[in-house]
Amino acid sequence: MALWGEIVRRFTYLGRRSQFERELDDEVQFHIDSRADELEQEGVPRAEAILRARREFGSSLRAREETRSAWQFRWLEDLGSDLRYAARAFRRSPSFALTAICCLALGIGANTTIFSVAMEVLFSQPSCRDPRSLAQISIGGVDWIPMQQYRFLRDARVFDGIAGINVQMVTQWKDGDASYKLAATRLTEDFFQVTGVPLAMGRGLQKGDVDSTVLTDGFWRRRLGAQPNVIGRKLVLDGRLFTVVGVLPRGHRTLVGFGFMPDLFVLTDPGEVMMYARLPEGMSHQDARARLESLCQEMDRVYPDPNHKWARGISISGVGGMERLLHNGSGTSMMPVAAFFGMLMVVVGLVLLIACANVSSLLLARSFSRSHELAIRFALGGGRGRILRQLLAESLLLALCGTTGGLLLDVVLTRLISGLPLPMQWIEFVIQPDWRLLAYSAAIAVAVTLAVGLTPAVKGTRAGIAIALKKQDGRAGSRRWSLRNVLVVGQLAVSLVLLSGGLLFIRNLSHATSLNLGFDTAHTVWATFSEQPASCTPERFRELTRAALERFRALPGVDAASLARGVPTAMPIRFSGDVRADTSSHAARLTYNFNSVGLDYFHTMRIPILRGREFLETDSAGAPPVAILNENLARLLFGDADPVGHTVLLPKGEELRIAGVARNSKYSILWEEDALAIYRPYAQNTINDARFVSFVVRAQGSPDALVRALSKTLAALDPEAAVEIKTMRGALQPSLVPSRAGAVAFGAMSLLGLTLASIGLYGVLLYAVSRRIREIGIRVALGATPANVLSMVAGESARLVAVGAAIGLAVAVFAVRPLSMFLVPEVRASDPVNFLAVACGLALVAALATVAPTLRALRVDPAVALRHE
Amino acid sequence: MEPSASPELLPGTLYLLILRTLRSGPLHGYAIAKRIKEASRDGLEIEDGSLYPALNRMLVKGWLASAWGVSENNRKARFYRLTPEGRAQLEKEAGEFDRLVRAIKLVMRTA
């Protein structure tokens, strides 16, 4: 407490130093005057009295110095004066300071921005009461627990409540004539009480709120125009009336995290839930695990299941930070996302390294041109430590300015990212600067200060007085030279590595965009159509489906239309199990894509039938069951033999005669390879009471115009049905996001790195030429041709680039290997063409950076140069 | 940094003397020096050059507060007064000093 007061008083002193000095002068003067008055009263003449008083007081200078030092933070003031000195020095060479600060600001800005985004995406804390005592629990090795088991655990009351959520649900919202698909997270009744999620308006959902809903801020703003009186408003969801009882605040982060943000929350029966338990005070995760284990053993006795034991695979993990990231309950690991950000952090780290090398190189050049000044300061008795500190103060000032610039860049960029409409629905990020960012920036500033300043400062102060005063480069000069060259070579090598990665991602994007999916994406539209089982019989649904298909085919601009259960890449269906060909005696355990498709499906999707035939009208429900395989599966089961006419046995004992073989295409995700697939006729669909169907429609021209027409047609058939319609191309956008993000981030970073490295090369070459002007002048005077001069400068550049490129290539070959996990199979990380292209690009940029220094060397006039000092 | 007090003063006693002098009310620097000299019947003389550093160190520590006023000879002067912390410090130091002096006296008498 006393110490704190002391610090405050010292700081107030710092703020009003000039006033303090004046007052101290006044006080000393008063003391001397008073003593003189007294002496005068004793009879001493005035003039002598003043002199005696002064003598008695002693050295007023020393008194003042000591008085001042009572108040000072010595090191702080020294640092302040060092910084002021550095600022003055920079003001004298503004272009140097500006270049250095811009380099650092770009490097640091890139770092802090990626850091901010990574922190938000991976480690953000969910918005709820006391997140630390909330834990996600998985039992039986899975996250998703049926309601029966959920109720059992909840009613055991081991925890202070268990909240269950189901985030995978969608609902159809009818707003006037329009109908939208919304993400409606379904909650258990006690969700809001257990989690303590704060609300901006109204209240949370409670027990008995059957037809009530809580909205998220984004939905309320975007879809309801941020109406202030939204509480009590009615929404029609899946044909039922729901009342809005609350709205979540802006910047809410869900328990699930990773940016997931539904449109609204309802209490409709979730079916199965992810569980979040509120741990009682003092209960550790270990305790909770033990309690849960015995509880699950009991549950296994109450609901026996020979195939599944809930007491196995119990895990308890926190709802934020590292634990949520590592949580891998149902195999949906976030590790690829984490790996992506980890890679980006490495990349921006390298960019910052390049930027530091640039500034370090600039400072090095400066410290040579200042060697005279430094030598004088040495000669006057400046300690090496003192001068070292002075030089480090310069790099500290640069780092501080650079960090400030970088933070500004960060705030602007993250605001841009936060406001960006993401192509992925229901993903929202709230990126705000926080203490973690500040701490990170401070750490970066310190690291940059040392990285940038230490080498030049040590080098600059090591040279002895004698050498420096001679103001010659001499031997010492040639050694310093190589240090700058090493820096440039390093920069070139690092930027080559970055470029290799960047080019891979850009090629990846162009491949992913123009990827041949094996079916027509340019002209097709798909629509899903579903009805509530309660309001629609299977017969009526079949009738509606048939009518819809007829009306589609009659629409102008429609080339062909068909139906299917799934839509490739948008709504894939996958099965696994034992599959056997009749030619083979043993089955193969396979994971394969499945679809049951209507007549004309292959024609509509433009998937060629390579052997056999398409499905025909005669493949009806009563007819012998048939199937069409894709090439991969046909080859796997039958080798090179023609499979048509053979039969294939599926896991449930079904025997299908093979009618044909279809060309391979993509089924689930864009980067799948060698995927297997089986098609069956829609008429032989085994699920007879389905109220869900997909349509695929081929447009003669642009598919966009068809979306409205299809929507109208379906709405006319049944306005209550849930419908989603998208062009195939539009629906593919979300699956391109990873490629886009990678290409943008990596491409931008590698270009930034290359730019910085070429600035570095340019600086080094220009500096070299300016130091050798005299030498060049002598050479020209002695008869050197412009070609000689050219080869001298350009040769220097070529040597640096060659060494840098060689090192960079050697590193890149290994460094880009792990990237293949983010790339489509068509882009190989080890492709030599890639490295060749990158090396050529680097050489080109290096050549550009060499032009100006070379021209300068060529323009050297011997008459001027020989007088040059 | 300890005050470089005059050789006649025991180290650290300058603070004690100043605190004691100010107990009766605010004084300016010159008056403090004079009061100490008179009270000790010229036995103690504070070097003028060390008075002000000591006063300022005590300001930093929060034992004293200062304000500008007009002196008895009609000049602008800075007056120092005790803060509650200063008063507490005085009690503490006075007690310690008494113990120290008693101990030294005992040693001088018996040893």
Side-chain angles (χ1 to χ4, degrees):
Chain A
M1 198 60 216
L3 189 71
W4 175 240
E6 200 175 316
I7 290 170
V8 169
R9 279 188 288 276
R10 279 183 203 252
F11 268 107
T12 15
Y13 157 76
L14 274 182
R16 40 183 287 272
R17 226 164 356 173
S18 55
Q19 188 192 348
F20 174 86
E21 292 291 325
R22 240 185 0 257
E23 289 182 357
L24 186 60
D25 281 347
D26 288 351
E27 197 171 7
V28 170
Q29 193 57 49
F30 166 77
H31 188 108
I32 291 170
D33 285 349
S34 300
R35 178 67 184 144
D37 286 354
E38 213 176 76
L39 287 172
E40 212 178 353
Q41 274 167 20
E42 286 168 18
V44 185
R46 180 72 193 165
E48 211 202 315
I50 291 175
L51 276 179
R52 256 179 74 184
R54 283 224 178 105
R55 214 164 30 240
E56 278 175 19
F57 191 84
S59 163
S60 77
L61 214 61
R62 204 186 112 220
R64 255 179 277 187
E65 187 59 45
E66 274 185 33
T67 310
R68 220 174 287 129
S69 75
W71 287 95
Q72 282 164 345
F73 290 114
R74 214 22 223 272
W75 57 269
L76 195 73
E77 299 223 343
D78 284 352
L79 184 69
S81 71
D82 279 349
L83 285 178
R84 269 199 303 281
Y85 182 83
R88 266 208 306 280
F90 290 156
R91 223 173 296 143
R92 274 200 303 275
S93 40
S95 60
F96 156 77
L98 204 67
T99 316
I101 290 171
C102 282
C103 281
L104 289 180
L106 285 175
I108 294 172
N111 257 278
T112 50
T113 305
I114 297 296
F115 178 82
S116 301
V117 177
M119 276 295 154
E120 169 60 27
V121 174
L122 302 178
F123 298 112
S124 64
Q125 285 279 356
S127 315
C128 63
R129 185 182 66 231
D130 187 18
R132 254 175 304 176
S133 69
L134 205 60
Q136 185 180 4
I137 55 183
S138 335
I139 56 174
V142 291
D143 284 345
W144 292 93
I145 316 298
M147 285 309 282
Q148 190 181 46
Q149 275 70 22
Y150 162 76
R151 281 190 207 103
F152 183 91
L153 294 181
R154 181 194 63 190
D155 296 340
R157 298 195 177 278
V158 168
F159 306 110
D160 289 352
I162 300 179
I165 65 173
N166 187 340
V167 292
Q168 297 181 326
M169 307 306 280
V170 291
T171 179
Q172 203 69 24
W173 172 45
K174 249 183 79 61
D175 183 31
D177 287 337
S179 173
Y180 306 94
K181 195 166 88 169
L182 304 182
T185 292
R186 296 187 180 180
L187 309 171
T188 55
E189 287 170 336
D190 49 359
F191 176 84
F192 280 92
Q193 285 81 336
V194 172
T195 56
V197 166
L199 284 107
M201 258 196 282
R203 59 173 178 84
L205 295 168
Q206 302 161 358
K207 202 175 170 127
D209 279 343
V210 192
D211 290 324
S212 305
T213 176
V214 164
L215 312 178
T216 55
D217 180 78
F219 176 74
W220 173 61
R221 252 168 236 286
R222 274 191 303 273
R223 297 291 182 80
L224 303 183
Q227 288 174 342
N229 52 348
V230 70
I231 304 294
R233 185 179 158 162
K234 304 265 193 271
L235 299 178
V236 183
L237 303 174
D238 286 337
R240 256 166 64 203
L241 267 184
F242 280 75
T243 311
V244 177
V245 296
V247 179
L248 292 183
R250 191 172 210 154
H252 175 82
R253 295 182 177 103
T254 53
L255 284 179
V256 183
F258 306 111
F260 171 74
M261 183 62 63
D263 293 305
L264 40 80
F265 298 88
V266 291
L267 293 188
T268 316
D269 177 28
E272 51 178 15
V273 289
M274 294 202 285
M275 297 189 294
Y276 291 90
R278 173 69 69 187
L279 306 186
E281 216 179 309
M283 185 189 270
S284 71
H285 282 195
Q286 254 165 342
D287 300 341
R289 231 189 98 86
R291 302 290 297 273
L292 203 56
E293 198 159 0
S294 59
L295 200 57
C296 285
Q297 278 160 1
E298 200 189 317
M299 189 159 75
D300 282 331
R301 277 192 295 277
V302 179
Y303 305 112
D305 178 351
N307 297 320
H308 195 96
K309 290 273 169 278
W310 291 110
R312 272 188 221 132
I314 290 177
S315 92
I316 304 244
S317 54
V319 292
M322 208 58 194
E323 279 192 61
R324 183 175 62 189
L325 190 62
L326 294 177
H327 178 85
N328 187 7
S330 299
T332 51
S333 168
M334 291 307 285
M335 279 337 268
V337 181
F340 181 74
F341 277 106
M343 181 193 68
L344 271 185
M345 284 308 284
V346 171
V347 167
V348 290
L350 289 177
V351 169
L352 184 59
L353 209 62
I354 295 180
C356 285
N358 256 359
V359 177
S360 193
S361 175
L362 283 172
L363 279 173
L364 217 50
R366 244 172 87 79
S367 80
F368 297 145
S369 42
R370 281 171 66 191
S371 54
H372 200 62
E373 174 204 334
L374 293 182
I376 289 173
R377 296 181 64 171
F378 272 127
L380 289 176
R384 187 170 174 206
R386 187 72 188 73
I387 291 173
L388 203 69
R389 201 174 65 180
Q390 165 65 54
L391 292 178
L392 276 181
E394 286 190 4
S395 40
L396 175 64
L397 189 64
L398 286 179
L400 286 179
C401 293
T403 308
T404 314
L407 275 178
L408 285 178
L409 207 64
D410 174 288
V411 170
V412 171
L413 282 177
T414 50
R415 184 156 303 170
L416 225 67
I417 294 171
S418 294
L420 220 60
L422 291 168
M424 292 172 286
Q425 241 179 328
W426 305 317
I427 297 285
E428 234 175 73
F429 293 116
V430 205
I431 305 170
Q432 282 151 345
D434 58 5
W435 62 268
R436 287 181 297 199
L437 177 64
L438 275 180
Y440 183 71
S441 313
I444 278 200
V446 171
V448 164
T449 306
L450 293 178
V452 157
L454 209 54
T455 324
V458 170
K459 281 260 161 192
T461 52
R462 191 187 288 159
I465 299 172
I467 295 171
L469 272 182
K470 268 189 260 158
K471 214 183 172 187
Q472 287 296 326
D473 283 337
R475 295 243 162 266
S478 70
R479 266 194 51 217
R480 293 166 193 159
W481 248 111
S482 68
L483 181 62
R484 294 196 69 196
N485 289 2
V486 165
L487 283 176
V488 165
V489 165
Q491 283 181 309
L492 291 171
V494 172
S495 58
L496 194 120
V497 174
L498 290 182
L499 275 178
S500 311
L503 189 63
L504 279 179
F505 269 92
I506 287 166
R507 286 181 61 192
N508 183 52
L509 177 63
S510 80
H511 261 277
T513 326
S514 64
L515 200 60
N516 182 8
L517 299 188
F519 56 87
D520 186 9
T521 53
H523 300 93
T524 40
V525 182
W526 56 257
T528 63
F529 181 73
S530 63
E531 291 276 5
Q532 293 292 322
S535 59
C536 182
T537 61
E539 290 71 34
R540 180 170 147 69
F541 189 72
R542 271 198 288 277
E543 188 50 46
L544 284 172
T545 309
R546 191 162 42 239
L549 207 53
E550 255 167 44
R551 291 192 194 181
F552 286 165
R553 288 187 175 132
L555 283 174
V558 169
D559 188 30
S562 181
L563 48 83
R565 263 182 69 197
V567 180
T569 68
M571 255 162 290
I573 305 167
R574 280 160 77 89
F575 290 126
S576 21
D578 294 330
V579 178
R580 187 166 75 81
D582 60 355
T583 53
S584 166
S585 54
H586 55 264
R589 172 137 256 189
L590 303 174
T591 297
Y592 57 93
N593 296 278
F594 176 83
N595 206 354
S596 43
V597 300
L599 298 176
D600 247 8
Y601 176 82
F602 294 96
H603 169 67
T604 310
M605 296 290 279
R606 289 279 155 101
I607 301 173
I609 298 293
L610 301 172
R611 280 173 170 170
R613 60 170 175 87
E614 258 209 64
F615 294 132
L616 300 172
E617 199 90 48
T618 49
D619 297 319
S620 58
V626 289
I628 291 178
L629 309 184
N630 76 342
E631 288 171 275
N632 285 332
L633 188 57
R635 188 167 310 122
L636 187 94
L637 293 177
F638 298 96
D640 291 330
D642 185 354
V644 175
H646 285 281
T647 51
V648 61
L649 284 91
L650 294 190
K652 280 180 192 160
E654 291 168 301
E655 285 189 37
L656 308 177
R657 206 168 47 76
I658 294 161
V661 177
R663 166 93 61 82
N664 286 334
S665 64
K666 302 287 178 188
Y667 306 94
S668 299
I669 50 170
L670 294 188
W671 30 89
E672 70 192 3
E673 253 183 308
D674 308 326
L676 311 171
I678 299 179
Y679 299 94
R680 295 189 62 183
Y682 194 82
Q684 297 179 348
N685 203 338
T686 45
I687 308 170
N688 282 317
D689 58 348
R691 264 72 147 214
F692 177 90
V693 71
S694 311
F695 296 101
V696 284
V697 181
R698 217 184 125 66
Q700 281 163 346
S702 154
D704 301 295
L706 271 188
V707 173
R708 265 192 72 83
L710 295 184
S711 159
K712 261 189 175 160
T713 311
L714 290 179
L717 272 175
D718 181 4
E720 297 299 311
V723 172
E724 185 181 15
I725 303 175
K726 278 194 172 129
T727 63
M728 193 64 86
R729 212 172 21 194
L732 280 173
Q733 293 305 313
S735 37
L736 288 176
V737 166
S739 315
R740 284 240 164 87
V744 167
F746 229 114
M749 288 308 138
S750 52
L751 283 183
L752 184 58
L754 180 65
T755 312
L756 290 173
S758 56
I759 290 173
L761 180 67
Y762 165 83
V764 162
L765 290 176
L766 199 63
Y767 183 72
V769 168
S770 71
R771 300 209 60 111
R772 291 168 77 185
I773 280 185
R774 221 171 124 90
E775 181 199 333
I776 295 170
I778 293 172
R779 281 170 190 261
V780 172
L782 290 178
T785 59
N788 294 139
V789 176
L790 186 81
S791 77
M792 200 174 93
V793 181
E796 171 87 37
S797 166
R799 217 181 55 206
L800 293 175
V801 174
V803 176
I807 297 173
L809 279 178
V811 176
V813 167
F814 295 99
V816 299
R817 252 180 219 175
L819 298 186
S820 52
M821 68 186 280
F822 304 108
L823 304 176
V824 295
E826 284 79 4
V827 179
R828 307 266 166 217
S830 55
D831 190 353
V833 176
N834 195 41
F835 296 115
L836 201 67
V838 166
C840 288
L842 186 77
L844 193 73
V845 173
L848 282 177
T850 315
V851 169
T854 313
L855 284 181
R856 171 128 192 239
L858 285 175
R859 285 210 198 98
V860 167
D861 177 355
V864 178
L866 287 177
R867 267 181 270 128
H868 175 85
E869 179 41 77
Chain B
M1 238 185 298
E2 279 307 297
S4 47
S6 58
E8 302 92 53
L9 278 179
L10 281 167
T13 43
L14 181 56
Y15 290 158
L16 179 62
L17 294 178
I18 293 173
L19 288 171
R20 177 66 184 76
T21 316
L22 287 175
R23 199 172 68 172
S24 49
L27 288 173
H28 51 71
Y30 183 71
I32 294 173
K34 215 171 140 196
R35 188 72 67 84
I36 291 175
K37 196 175 159 197
E38 282 168 9
S40 64
R41 303 204 185 85
D42 290 350
L44 288 174
E45 187 151 2
I46 298 168
E47 211 181 293
D48 298 334
S50 64
L51 174 66
Y52 289 97
L55 282 172
N56 277 280
R57 273 191 285 273
M58 292 164 82
L59 280 175
V60 173
K61 285 186 199 293
W63 296 343
L64 304 183
S66 73
W68 286 88
V70 178
S71 71
E72 58 288 345
N73 54 4
N74 247 342
R75 283 198 169 90
K76 212 172 85 155
R78 195 210 283 264
F79 285 83
Y80 297 88
R81 69 179 163 75
L82 280 188
T83 62
E85 290 93 333
R87 218 168 278 281
Q89 185 67 21
L90 171 61
E91 310 229 318
K92 199 176 127 218
E93 287 205 9
E96 272 169 21
F97 182 76
D98 278 347
R99 273 197 300 284
L100 181 69
V101 170
R102 257 203 306 279
I104 292 175
K105 272 186 187 156
L106 272 174
V107 172
M108 297 309 281
R109 227 176 295 154
T110 56

